[in-house]
Amino acid sequence: MEKLTIKDIAKMAGVSHTEDGYRTGLAYFTRCIKEKKSIATGILCISDHFALGVMQAAVETGVDIPGQISLIGFDDVSFASLPKIQLTTISQPKEEICEAAVQMLEELIAADGPAPISCKTIEPVLVRRDTCGPSGGRALW
């Protein structure tokens, strides 16, 4: 099995806007092209909005998604499924998260005093669309 190499393109605190993704993607792709360095085969973004900015930067610098890199967003916002975008993303089951939060709040209110800490894991869902492709001839799914 081939070893997975993880590289941080950028660590930015509290930014997930389209403009932030665009600036980060543009700086990264431009630097790789100028320095003749290989571009990452996959990018996982903090949000779908950030991923949209990275997509625009890729278009402007001639980087092919999904031919050269696979791109994954996070949140599965409404524009992610538009025909010209088709962003692979990780969806959070928002209704299930809200139900769990309300249930936990009701339990805390009913406890009438200190209540035990509870935890519930809610699995995200990978929504496969067109921005992910094979890397080096290997299928990703």
Side-chain angles (χ1 to χ4, degrees):
M1 175 179 265
E2 188 176 327
K3 183 181 174 195
L4 177 65
T5 303
I6 299 173
K7 297 179 183 179
D8 289 326
I9 292 173
K11 286 186 178 179
M12 303 172 76
V15 290
S16 64
H17 304 290
T18 305
E19 299 81 15
D20 302 316
Y22 173 74
R23 282 193 299 272
T24 302
L26 191 62
Y28 173 70
F29 297 139
T30 301
R31 185 178 75 240
C32 287
I33 291 166
K34 280 184 181 178
E35 296 175 7
K36 298 184 184 344
K37 291 184 176 181
S38 61
I39 294 173
T41 58
I43 298 175
L44 173 61
C45 296
I46 190 171
S47 71
D48 289 345
H49 290 276
F50 195 93
L52 184 62
V54 172
M55 287 177 81
Q56 181 60 39
V59 167
E60 291 181 18
T61 56
V63 174
D64 180 33
I65 298 173
Q68 283 179 273
I69 64 164
S70 292
L71 182 67
I72 301 176
F74 192 90
D75 287 332
D76 196 21
V77 296
S78 59
F79 71 73
S81 64
L82 290 173
K84 292 209 175 210
I85 296 175
Q86 287 298 300
L87 176 65
T88 297
T89 186
I90 297 172
S91 177
Q92 301 180 79
K94 294 169 186 73
E95 293 81 17
E96 192 176 343
I97 292 170
C98 289
E99 287 174 16
V102 168
Q103 181 182 357
M104 291 171 108
L105 181 60
E106 288 172 342
E107 289 170 5
L108 286 171
I109 292 169
D112 195 32
I117 296 173
S118 63
C119 194
K120 181 173 182 172
T121 301
I122 300 172
E123 295 289 326
V125 177
L126 177 65
V127 180
R128 297 175 181 171
R129 295 196 181 105
D130 295 343
T131 60
C132 284
S135 171
R138 298 183 319 269
L140 292 178
W141 358 90

